[in-house]
Amino acid sequence: AHENEENLVVCGLFWKRIYSFYYERFEDEHKKQLAKLVDEMPKKDKQKLLNEADIKNGSFLDKSFDLDTDFIDVLKKILDEYGDDLKGYHMPWRFFITNNSSVRRKHVVDLGLFDEGIVRYGFEDYDLGIRLHQAGLTFRLHRDIVSVHQEHPSNCKSVDDIRANIAYMCDKYNNIRSLDVHLAFNGPFPPDMTNGIMTDIHKLLESQKYDMLLNLFLELLHVVKERNIDPDWQNKAPRVTARNFDLQTVRKLLPKAKKKLGVNDFANALYALVNDLLHVDLR
């Protein structure tokens, strides 16, 4: 896949899963899934569920299944909408999962390798994918490149790992040219609208006169982030209020941008966020 394209990121299928051993420490969701696949549940820890012949003759694939999560469902819908070349999709780095992705070594070296500041479980592949995307590389999905992940008890200690990593990523990419990061992790919008918002953001970025709209949008997505990851957010002083922004100017500038550039998705999203978080109706 890389022979004829210098700046290509190849993403294979990464949502196939299989149980090769049974672990008593499996979470309930693993045990429920396994019960659907076997006639009788294993009775001892680390009981083998695959043998060498299954792997050599390829029959192990009959025992595999697709990871069934909202995250995977969203990615599959994105592929249905934009195709495997992800043309027109503004967040292709979401498919850069390192159990089945490849890119020329020099690109990774040039970008500084993995970010070792990410010390909690996961997200280091997303971070590298974001940097590859920002460097202008092309992402493409290849369905013939398949990995089958052997399920095991989770290494993720708690949802605190996810919360900490989202906060880290949003702090690291805290600028209006990285709004895709904030929308992917915190945006309360459906996938098709999210991509439409990013299309509009690219139009707005072409002129600095719209930066105040984008900065307001960024700040409000930070508020959404805090609401999502901090269980105690309601008991804390709000990060921002309506007094932090020149909403009168926003009220004038946003309709002009909407009329001139056709940024309807962005305008509707900003109207909704201001209404929800600042309790102001800009319309």
Side-chain angles (χ1 to χ4, degrees), residues 18-83:
I18 198 165
Y19 293 105
S20 54
F21 285 87
Y22 171 73
Y23 295 92
E24 291 178 352
R25 292 190 299 112
F26 268 150
E27 294 84 350
D28 287 343
E29 62 189 68
H30 279 303
K31 292 179 180 179
K32 289 178 182 178
Q33 178 65 46
L34 182 57
K36 299 176 185 177
L37 300 169
V38 296
D39 296 329
E40 183 178 351
M41 283 293 287
K43 297 199 170 44
K44 62 181 181 179
D45 189 37
K46 298 181 182 178
Q47 181 174 328
K48 186 184 292 188
L49 302 176
L50 286 180
N51 57 50
E52 188 173 349
D54 295 326
I55 298 167
K56 285 185 174 180
N57 64 29
S59 64
F60 74 96
L61 286 171
D62 297 332
K63 301 178 182 181
S64 68
F65 59 96
D66 284 6
L67 184 63
D68 184 16
T69 65
D70 291 342
F71 163 69
I72 296 298
D73 286 344
V74 166
L75 294 185
K76 288 181 176 179
K77 289 176 182 175
I78 290 168
L79 291 173
D80 288 341
E81 178 74 19
Y82 299 98

Side-chain angles (χ1 to χ4, degrees), residues 74-75 78 82-83 85-95 133 184 191 194-195 198:
V74 166
L75 294 185
I78 290 168
Y82 299 98
D85 63 358
L86 298 170
K87 188 175 182 179
Y89 184 61
H90 296 293
M91 290 168 279
W93 52 265
R94 298 186 73 186
F95 291 86
H133 176 55
T194 296
N195 198 60
M198 282 308 306

Side-chain angles (χ1 to χ4, degrees), residues 237-252:
R239 177 186 178 107
V240 296
T241 67
R243 289 176 293 181
N244 294 100
F245 307 102
D246 181 2
L247 294 181
Q248 285 300 109
T249 301
V250 173
R251 187 178 270 114
K252 296 175 183 177

Side-chain angles (χ1 to χ4, degrees), residues 106-173:
K106 69 172 188 175
H107 295 305
V108 179
V109 173
D110 289 346
L111 291 171
L113 310 181
F114 285 115
D115 180 352
E116 295 186 11
I118 300 174
V119 295
R120 299 289 191 108
Y121 182 80
F123 282 72
E124 68 279 0
D125 43 7
Y126 267 174
D127 174 75
L128 179 56
I130 290 165
R131 285 181 280 140
L132 290 166
H133 176 55
Q134 292 184 345
L137 273 72
T138 298
F139 286 67
R140 190 173 300 128
L141 189 88
H142 280 243
R143 293 179 183 268
D144 59 323
I145 305 174
V146 182
S147 68
V148 183
H149 183 270
Q150 301 181 75
E151 293 291 74
H152 54 77
S154 176
N155 294 328
C156 186
K157 298 295 185 288
S158 71
V159 294
D160 288 340
D161 282 1
I162 297 172
R163 290 170 176 164
N165 282 335
I166 287 176
Y168 179 90
M169 297 287 281
C170 290
D171 288 341
K172 177 174 180 176
Y173 296 98

